Amino acid sequence: MAERGAILPLAAALLLLGGLSACGEEAAPAGARAPAVAAKGAEQLAFPGAQGFGRHASGGRGGALYFVDTLEDGGPGSLRACIEAEEPRVCIFRTGGVIRFRGERPIIGSPYITIAGQTAPGGGILLTHEGGAAGLTPLVVKNTHDVVIRHMRVRPDRIARNRGGNDAFTIENSHRVILDHVSGSWALDENYNGHGRNDDLTVSWSVFAEGLKPHDKCALLSSDPEGPQNVSFLNNLCAHNGDRNPDINFPPGSCVEVVNNVFYDGGTEFAEVWETYGGSPVNLVGNVFLPGPETAPGTPAITRNRIASTGTAAVFAADNRIEPPLGEADLDVAEILSDRPVCPLSHSPVPAARAAGRVLARAGAMPRDDVDARIVAEVVGRAGGRVSEPGTLPAIAGGQPPPDADADGMDDGWERMRGIAAGVYDPWEDVDGDGWSNLEEYLDYRHRTLLAQGQADAVQ
């Protein structure tokens, strides 16, 4: 069930990883050609390397381009304008910095949207709110489908009145959604919350840290689920959250996979498997559970919660790395362990011995801001602790957007390098015939460039 042992320091782990050469979503170096669709006629991935049950979310593919060139809460060129549009669309950022929602936050309610945070120049994009009565979860996907969100960070730095409406990220009554390389902290409720009738969701390569005491939670994968769900929680870092690392409470018929994550400094609980809705089925594979300064000795890595149980959970736990003085599981978990996956895994995990280095090097919105950089350093040094108040927003440079004379969302220089006409609006053409549009290849290039830069910074 578990392997015990030390985790390599970040720099050493990065050297062993050999840059971005490891298998998985970082298989190609920055600037490399994006891989074609896996098989002719296969359903297109959300982006090259997309994983989990949300991997086929189409996002704004083929739609309009909305250029975010202001940090204002609303108006032309705002993120709100892109979010609230009703047509298929891609949000392309022409500035970096902090966007503070001063009134009611926009809700992603119309389908077919890609929020391409990797296009932001400078230090990227950070979302927050004003606090008080209007201060609610800054990034919400609700009653919709086919949503792709990458390289966005959410850090509410002002206390709001409504704790239950103050996550960092919420997905509610939606399907075919993927959150990838996002960062969230300082939530009054959960840093990530799934609610209601969701299905085909992926949360991957993200950092969820420092929920606020006394309700500091990493991830509630499902609350009040209305029917079975397929949910993937992959390659994420949860740090300095008292419990729900993560919380797993689904009905039978669901397929839940919690794979290759790093969980650090839980207070009294790490992974919680509930039976409120008939018993959660979950695969817990290749995860790393690390005690921190505020972890009680003997805290189990896996807990079975039988409060208001209406059925029996089923847990497949394999190759999880659990560092002492953590325990492997509470006594009740032994009754629900399966010797085989409770449902088919959506992809092949890497060994837990490699998971920590990969996550610490690559998770979160890139380029990493000072908060994520500090959190990762604390995991490596077994330092830091849980917090009761939000921190100070990190400085985020606005940067200079690349030239884009034809307003097709792509850097003119990159287009010329790839043999794409820099004076022609052609984001959805496929100049090299590999199954990915020009714009999708550019977004993948931006993503991989940010990862390569972040890794270089980590080893300096």
Side-chain angles (χ1 to χ4, degrees), residues 49-80:
Q51 298 174 318
F53 291 115
R55 67 188 181 276
H56 294 304
S58 61
R61 180 178 294 133
L65 305 187
Y66 281 70
F67 292 95
V68 180
D69 54 18
T70 178
L71 300 176
E72 294 299 319
D73 180 19
S78 67
L79 177 59
R80 180 185 293 272

Side-chain angles (χ1 to χ4, degrees), residues 300-350:
I302 306 172
T303 299
R304 179 186 183 187
N305 199 315
R306 304 177 75 170
I307 297 172
S309 174
T310 61
T312 303
V315 176
F316 175 67
D319 188 37
N320 294 299
R321 190 164 183 150
I322 301 168
E323 286 207 350
L326 295 181
E328 292 190 3
D330 67 20
L331 295 177
D332 283 348
V333 172
E335 301 175 8
I336 58 174
L337 288 177
S338 171
D339 60 0
R340 63 189 64 188
V342 298
C343 54
L345 289 167
S346 69
H347 70 292
S348 299
V350 303

Side-chain angles (χ1 to χ4, degrees), residues 141-144 170-177 192-201 220-231 250 254:
V141 179
K142 185 173 181 177
N143 299 330
T144 192
T170 291
I171 301 176
E172 180 176 349
N173 298 330
S174 297
H175 62 279
R176 291 170 63 106
V177 178
Y192 168 77
N193 174 36
H195 181 76
R197 187 181 291 277
N198 290 323
D199 197 17
D200 291 338
L201 306 185
L220 179 60
L221 299 188
S222 177
S223 59
D224 300 322
E226 300 176 17
Q229 302 179 14
N230 296 317
V231 174
F250 292 82
S254 299

Side-chain angles (χ1 to χ4, degrees), residues 27-182:
R33 190 168 179 172
V37 181
K40 188 175 181 179
E43 189 173 9
Q44 186 91 349
L45 295 176
F47 47 79
Q51 298 174 318
F53 291 115
R55 67 188 181 276
H56 294 304
S58 61
R61 180 178 294 133
L65 305 187
Y66 281 70
F67 292 95
V68 180
D69 54 18
T70 178
L71 300 176
E72 294 299 319
D73 180 19
S78 67
L79 177 59
R80 180 185 293 272
C82 183
I83 287 176
E84 293 183 343
E86 297 182 354
E87 61 186 328
R89 61 221 183 272
V90 180
C91 307
I92 304 286
F93 293 89
R94 302 284 292 169
T95 185
V98 176
I99 298 174
R100 186 180 297 278
F101 297 130
R102 300 188 181 279
E104 181 70 24
R105 78 285 164 90
I107 291 177
I108 301 169
S110 294
Y112 305 114
I113 179 173
T114 295
I115 300 181
Q118 69 267 40
T119 59
I125 295 291
L126 186 153
L127 303 183
T128 189
H129 58 50
E130 188 72 0
L136 297 169
T137 304
L139 207 159
V140 178
V141 179
K142 185 173 181 177
N143 299 330
T144 192
H145 59 88
D146 288 284
V147 176
V148 177
I149 300 173
R150 305 187 81 187
H151 294 284
M152 299 291 289
R153 53 185 68 78
V154 176
R155 307 201 192 282
D157 63 323
R158 298 179 183 175
I159 298 295
R161 294 182 188 175
N162 183 350
R163 180 190 63 77
N166 264 276
D167 307 311
F169 299 85
T170 291
I171 301 176
E172 180 176 349
N173 298 330
S174 297
H175 62 279
R176 291 170 63 106
V177 178
I178 182 164
L179 300 183
D180 179 75
H181 286 278
V182 303

Side-chain angles (χ1 to χ4, degrees), residues 236-262:
N236 302 297
L237 170 61
C238 288
H240 304 312
N241 300 288
D243 58 350
R244 297 184 182 172
N245 292 294
D247 183 294
I248 304 152
N249 197 359
F250 292 82
S254 299
C255 189
V256 184
E257 52 185 12
V258 177
V259 176
N260 287 150
N261 303 282
V262 176

